[in-house]
């Protein structure tokens, strides 16, 4: 189990990575929706 | 053993990274003209309504962010309960994740608009918000920075997001949208 300092470093990085993942997934699905509408 | 204080010059890296992100988003948005076709959000008749409701949820979370930050920093005179810091972190995460979805809808579905002051402010603050949020997250990973850095970056995140919401969902609610 990571100690408190490791969690303090990892937690903001994980937040950013999850945000990036959401951005990629939503973008890809939006591109598909756009192409399907054409 | 206590950690040595971190030099403020350490901030250059995060600021460059956040700045690069904001500029990249702006450049993409200016060069991409969306057709308002994005991932469908069921229950909403159009993209603007979906974004407005999602932004309303973000606005509530942003208020929670502000209040919990004021409590954490002792600006609201009350004994800070143990759950205040986790509430601040989780409301911030949820606001950010929802803002990411809205940001994709805006940038991909619409693009960076600047044909009037309101949309120019919205587009600019929207792009800046994500860059400044990245800076704040990276700042959090570095203990020992001067005490004013975190409140300043948190205040900047709050101001940018609140402005982006006011110039979009806020405007939509007040005026009923484009006529």
């Amino acid at each position: 189990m990571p100690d408190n300092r490791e969690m303090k470093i990892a937690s903001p990085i994980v937040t950013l990575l999850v945000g990036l993942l959401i951005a990629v997934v939503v973008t890809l699905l939006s591109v598909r929706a756009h192409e399907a509408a054409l | 053993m206590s950690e040595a204080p971190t030099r403020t010059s350490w901030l250059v890296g995060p600021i460059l990274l956040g700045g690069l992100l904001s500029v990249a988003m702006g450049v993409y948005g200016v060069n991409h003209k969306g057709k308002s076709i994005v991932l469908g959000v069921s229950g909403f008749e159009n993209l603007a309504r979906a974004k407005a409701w999602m932004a309303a949820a973000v606005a509530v979370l942003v208020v929670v962010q502000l209040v919990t930050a004021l409590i954490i920093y002792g600006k609201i005179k009350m004994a800070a309960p143990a759950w205040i810091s986790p509430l601040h972190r989780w409301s911030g995460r949820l606001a950010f994740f929802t803002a990411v979805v809205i940001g994709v809808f805006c940038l991909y579905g619409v693009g960076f608009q600047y044909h009037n002051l309101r949309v120019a402010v919205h587009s600019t603050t929207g792009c800046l918000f994500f860059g400044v949020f990245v800076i704040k997250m990276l700042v959090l990973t570095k203990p020992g920075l001067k005490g004013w850095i975190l409140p300043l970056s948190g205040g900047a995140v709050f101001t940018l997001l609140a402005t982006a919401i006011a110039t979009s969902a806020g405007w939509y609610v007040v005026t009923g949208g484009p006529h």
Side-chain angles (χ1 to χ4, degrees), chain B residues 7-8 11 73 136 139 145-154:
Chain B
R7 292 171 180 268
T8 309
L11 285 172
Y73 279 90
K136 194 196 175 205
V139 162
L145 283 170
K146 293 209 184 329
W148 53 266
I149 292 175
L150 208 51
L152 179 66
S153 55

Side-chain angles (χ1 to χ4, degrees), chain A residues 5 8-9 11-13 15-16 18-19 22-23 26-27 29-31 33-34 37, chain B residues 3 35 37-39 93 96-97 100-101 104-105 108 133-134 137-138 140-141 143:
Chain A
R5 183 171 179 278
K8 283 186 176 176
I9 293 171
S11 181
I13 302 296
T15 298
L16 290 177
V18 170
I22 292 171
V26 174
T27 301
L29 291 173
S30 295
V31 169
H34 187 222
Chain B
E3 297 188 14
K35 292 186 173 34
I37 303 172
V38 293
L39 168 66
R93 284 180 191 129
F96 171 61
F97 296 152
V100 165
V101 177
V104 171
F105 283 178
Y108 181 76
F133 186 82
V134 165
M137 289 296 103
L138 293 177
L140 282 171
T141 66

Side-chain angles (χ1 to χ4, degrees), chain B residues 84-95:
Chain B
I84 274 295
S85 288
L87 176 60
H88 183 78
R89 287 195 295 271
W90 277 103
S91 59
R93 284 180 191 129
L94 290 175

